[in-house]
Amino acid sequence: MTVSLADVAGYLPGAPVPAEFYTEHPDAEDKLRDSAMFRVPRWRHHAGADESNVDMIERAVQPLIERHGAPEIRAVDVLLVHSQLPDVPFVGAGTEVAHRLGLRPEWLIDVANAGCASFVYMLKLARQILTTTTARRALICNAQNLAGQWFTQPGVRRLAQAAIPGDGCGVGYVTTSAARPVLDVTTKHIGEYAGQMRHHLDDGRKYWQPGAAEIRVGFTADGVTRVLERGNRLVPDVVRELCAGLGTAPADVDVLVTNQPNRMFLRNWHEALGLPEQRHPDTFDECGNLFGAAVPVTLDRAVRQGRVRDGDLVVLGGFAHAGDFAGAAAVRWTA
């Protein structure tokens, strides 16, 4: 059975927020600002103070409803959801998403792992479920709302790490059809790097214990160096492995869409794969690091800009956290 990534759509909340929101913040520190990991994008978007993951997913799905019709989307059998910052620590967003959209899925999974490459991972899960069960339609959703919540805390906002993320949501509609076939998906769970991307609180408390310290990502200079080395290597490696399985060369990829951590990764990835910059669309300077939402949001924008043509070999790829996951998927796109 052939499974297709039939459509993608994206949503960006609010007005664009300029870099100066962070760089001109009183007491802004530049200790890590010169690191390639923290070169500031010009713009990003922030979810509203009361805008939940479910709100963003509902808004991102609207273009799919407009293009395919509400009955088609309501017939979804499989709902997969990844929320970068869950609204409630012990409850996933999936069940409320299903309720809002009027879905009655047989399969509903809140995916907690795979981070910035979770769209690829959920595409693999959807493909597996659709080819081995009676399910025929899947909706995969990536919601990212860390930027307007976590990174705007008064003490965190002054840090170099705060200016990089942006908020947004991307969704994919997957069906058992030959419209835009998923040719293959390659994924790697890399246990030796697990747990190396951590949060930090200056008072040493657990994040759920009472206290005044603001939660932030526990970046260190050595940790950043390790992530940069791994990220430069992991994405080209997993794309090469995917292409080898397809019997094609990486340089023959027509469109490469990856997660969007920073400009250095974006440049190094397409250069390592022998691809010109124009074949690697990015949204970093307009949206910042969208984490898991970056792949569907960037693909949606590239399609709407006419950068994905009929018959193109589209490869989606990325890595997560400090390198504990990497994945790539190939789709034959049709107009």
Side-chain angles (χ1 to χ4, degrees):
M1 183 172 298
T2 303
V3 171
S4 288
L5 179 56
D7 206 352
V8 290
Y11 163 74
L12 298 172
V17 177
E20 290 76 17
F21 179 82
Y22 295 97
T23 58
E24 295 183 5
H25 181 60
D27 301 321
E29 60 93 353
D30 294 319
K31 185 167 53 179
L32 292 173
R33 192 83 67 188
D34 290 334
S35 166
M37 181 78 87
F38 301 116
R39 300 287 168 78
V40 181
R42 185 70 190 93
W43 303 99
R44 78 281 297 132
H45 292 255
H46 285 168
D50 298 319
E51 190 168 25
S52 69
N53 287 289
V54 179
D55 294 333
M56 291 201 294
I57 292 170
E58 184 179 25
R59 289 159 187 159
V61 171
Q62 287 309 305
L64 300 182
I65 293 173
E66 293 168 7
R67 292 196 284 265
H68 300 275
E72 182 83 5
I73 300 303
R74 281 199 292 265
V76 158
D77 308 289
V78 181
L79 176 62
L80 306 175
V81 178
H82 180 275
S83 301
Q84 194 71 27
L85 180 65
D87 297 305
V88 180
F90 44 83
V91 178
T95 304
E96 190 177 350
V97 169
H99 174 68
R100 291 266 195 103
L101 297 176
L103 312 181
R104 296 292 184 269
E106 179 182 0
W107 298 83
L108 196 163
I109 304 171
D110 281 284
V111 178
N113 64 319
C116 295
S118 52
F119 189 83
V120 172
Y121 187 48
M122 290 192 289
L123 183 58
K124 183 173 185 174
L125 290 173
R127 187 179 184 225
Q128 180 69 17
I129 294 170
L130 294 183
T131 54
T132 58
T133 72
T134 58
R136 293 294 174 262
R137 298 174 181 85
L139 186 64
I140 56 181
C141 310
N142 275 105
Q144 146 56 17
N145 61 345
L146 275 168
Q149 315 290 341
W150 186 329
F151 290 103
T152 56
Q153 297 175 95
V156 177
R157 180 178 163 188
R158 68 181 181 82
L159 302 176
Q161 62 181 260
I164 311 307
D167 290 335
C169 181
V171 296
Y173 181 45
V174 184
T175 63
T176 52
S177 73
R180 290 169 179 165
V182 179
L183 306 178
D184 201 2
V185 185
T186 297
T187 58
K188 293 178 177 295
H189 298 276
I190 309 166
E192 58 264 38
Y193 302 146
Q196 295 185 20
M197 183 65 72
R198 306 183 67 85
H199 69 276
H200 179 82
L201 287 148
D202 288 337
D203 57 7
R205 64 183 173 88
K206 305 285 189 182
Y207 76 88
W208 44 264
Q209 291 176 320
E214 298 173 3
I215 190 168
R216 57 182 170 86
V217 180
F219 284 117
T220 64
D222 287 345
V224 167
T225 299
R226 289 194 297 269
V227 172
L228 289 173
E229 184 278 325
R230 291 168 192 165
N232 278 328
R233 170 174 45 83
L234 285 171
V235 173
D237 283 354
V238 77
V239 171
R240 290 187 190 104
E241 184 174 334
L242 174 78
C243 289
L246 297 173
T248 190
D252 293 330
V253 171
D254 297 299
V255 181
L256 173 68
V257 179
T258 62
N259 63 311
Q260 311 275 307
N262 55 62
R263 294 187 191 95
M264 187 200 71
F265 278 145
L266 293 169
R267 182 191 69 241
N268 290 354
W269 288 341
H270 64 248
E271 289 181 355
L273 293 168
L275 295 172
E277 183 178 2
Q278 59 267 28
R279 287 200 225 164
H280 186 193
D282 76 80
T283 52
F284 181 73
D285 275 320
E286 294 80 23
C287 304
N289 182 1
L290 288 170
F291 296 88
V295 168
V297 166
T298 305
L299 177 58
D300 172 56
R301 179 170 293 195
V303 169
R304 289 187 288 108
Q305 291 174 341
R307 298 182 64 177
V308 187
R309 301 164 299 178
D310 188 45
D312 274 354
L313 175 61
V314 178
V315 168
L316 315 175
F319 82 104
H321 309 128
D324 61 17
F325 178 83
V331 178
R332 182 65 68 183
W333 199 263
T334 57

